[in-house]
Amino acid sequence: MIIENQQMVTGAVIDAMSNAENPRLREIMAALVRHAHAFAREVKLTEEEFEQGLAFLNAIGQATNDSHNEAVLFSDVLGFSTLVCLLNNGNAGATETAAALLGPFWRMNSPATANGGSILRSPTPGPALFVNCRIVDVDGAPIAGVEVDVWQASPVGLYENQDDDQADMNLRGKFRTDSEGRFSFRSVRPAGYPVPTHGPVGDLLRAQHRHPYRPAHLHFLGFKQGYKTLITQVFVAEDDRLQTDVVFGVTRHLIGTYVRHEDGAPPAEGVSPPRYTLDYGFVMEPGEAKLPVPPIK
Ligand code: BEZ
Ligand code: FE
């Protein structure tokens, strides 16, 4: 087709893509082209801005490696990851959900850990935290045998893969719910932390005068056949940055009560105060058990 004017381009591209057998690919690509072209028209994108945008996308790829995923980070700071999460959980976005974005730091093969065990794999200074969780189905019945991955940043605000001072898999563990749907573990209270800012996403945040911090949280991934994989986070209610999470992950449902105790009562004998406890309940929806592609190795 000869392109007579700018208005013709959009339809020409959609036509050219219309022979894809996969109907979902057709639908997604046609919508992407419509919206991308409308965006360029709306902002009257200049050639310099277009070049800058392409350089930004290339820089995202170049900043990504086995231990860092800049593409996930880009989607996260745009709120896109949270949007996709909320559109796909809680009855397709109609109701509250226990789900939250995965983020770039989940790793496969966290160490299997007995219920009640510790996820400290190397000395990790910080206030002790005892976590007791229960997983139920939408009718409130306990779900036994859920495999639950847990991961968190240390009290200095780094995941083990970002920090040479932590052992491999420190503050990561894999649990299995018991017959009452319970699992529990010992850790240290998480701290808020800045997302990585060494790449193009950091440049963008600085240009927008946005702080790079996430409020303190624990991550959970619950997996069992017959249930939609539950990916979520539980936030520390007292964190000052709850309202301004750089990746928009905080929903009311996910604000946990991390209770501070000044004593060393069981199961905390020998633990110097203060210690914290978190009791939290998760609901898993019926659905397909699928693991995400790990953002890092
Ligand atoms: C995280 O919570 O691990 C995370 C989420 C989004 C971006 C960076 C980190
Ligand atoms: Fe995190």
Side-chain angles (χ1 to χ4, degrees), residues 1 24 124 132 162 198 205 219:
M1 177 187 302
R24 188 67 178 146
T124 310
N132 293 296
Q162 301 175 294
H198 61 276
L205 293 176
H219 291 264

Side-chain angles (χ1 to χ4, degrees), residues 105 151-153 159 193 214 217 219 233:
F105 292 126
W151 68 106
Q152 69 169 93
Y159 286 83
Y193 60 85
R214 299 221 59 210
H217 57 275
H219 291 264
Q233 310 179 16

